[in-house]
């Protein structure tokens, strides 16, 4: 288990030092900003939708290792996903990081690398860091989101 934990920490460190899909997305059809005052994380998510498929996604901003790596991992896994799949992943992710800390997280196979975030449930103060980009994503895609017109 400790080896696994080290591997998880390596992935998190890697993504926080070299975040994937970092930067503004010029063709974004949706965007939203998430702010976590508890930690100072401030992340803006950009999404380019094609129909109900995530064609491209990126993020920018600054934050701690957990919020940055979570946004980076999220951006990697969501490319090519349908809205329905995005919602399902959001729910699974939320459940994984907010579940009972005394229970081991059950991680669905479709979560892929997002599984590295499972340990966050043991650190309640970090949950907001891990879920920040996801909440911004859902705001961007959802009814309450700020929609950026490209027309
Ligand atoms: Zn944070």
């Amino acid at each position: 288990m400790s080896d696994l934990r080290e591997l998880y920490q390596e992935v998190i460190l890697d993504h926080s030092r070299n975040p994937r899909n970092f930067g503004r997305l010029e063709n974004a059809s949706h965007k939203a900003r998430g702010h976590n005052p508890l930690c100072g994380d401030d992340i803006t998510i950009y999404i380019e939708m094609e129909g109900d498929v995530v064609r491209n996604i990126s993020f920018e901003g600054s934050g701690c290792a957990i919020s940055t790596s979570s946004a980076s991992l999220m951006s990697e896994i969501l490319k090519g996903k349908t809205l329905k799949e995005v919602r399902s992943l959001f729910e699974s992710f939320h459940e994984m990081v907010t579940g009972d800390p005394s229970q081991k997280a059950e991680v669905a196979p479709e979560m892929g690398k997002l599984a590295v975030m499972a340990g966050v449930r043991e650190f309640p103060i970090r949950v907001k860091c891990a879920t920040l980009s996801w909440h911004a994503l859902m705001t961007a895609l959802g009814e309450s989101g700020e929609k950026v017109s490209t027309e």
Side-chain angles (χ1 to χ4, degrees), residues 36 38-41 63-68 125-126 128-130 132:
N36 171 18
L38 280 178
C39 181
D41 309 313
C64 65
I66 297 291
S67 63
T68 304
I125 196 146
R126 289 298 188 187
K128 280 199 161 68
C129 302
L132 180 68

Side-chain angles (χ1 to χ4, degrees), residues 16 56 69 72 85 92 106 132 142 149:
S16 67
N56 209 346
S69 56
S72 174
E85 290 168 325
S92 302
E106 276 183 41
L132 180 68
S149 175

Side-chain angles (χ1 to χ4, degrees), residues 115-132:
V116 300
M117 288 286 159
V120 167
R121 63 163 61 192
E122 291 169 42
F123 307 94
I125 196 146
R126 289 298 188 187
V127 169
K128 280 199 161 68
C129 302
T131 56
L132 180 68

Side-chain angles (χ1 to χ4, degrees), residues 37-96:
L38 280 178
C39 181
D41 309 313
D42 188 340
I43 284 175
T44 301
I45 303 287
Y46 299 89
I47 309 152
E48 181 191 348
M49 296 298 292
E50 193 174 80
D52 75 335
V53 174
V54 178
R55 189 188 160 94
N56 209 346
I57 176 169
S58 76
F59 73 102
E60 67 177 4
S62 61
C64 65
I66 297 291
S67 63
T68 304
S69 56
S70 182
S72 174
L73 287 159
M74 181 185 85
S75 70
E76 269 197 328
I77 202 163
L78 290 186
K79 275 189 201 177
K81 293 282 192 288
T82 64
L83 273 180
K84 197 171 164 227
E85 290 168 325
V86 170
R87 274 192 208 105
S88 161
L89 279 166
F90 168 73
E91 277 160 26
S92 302
F93 185 82
H94 202 261
E95 216 165 276
M96 181 178 80

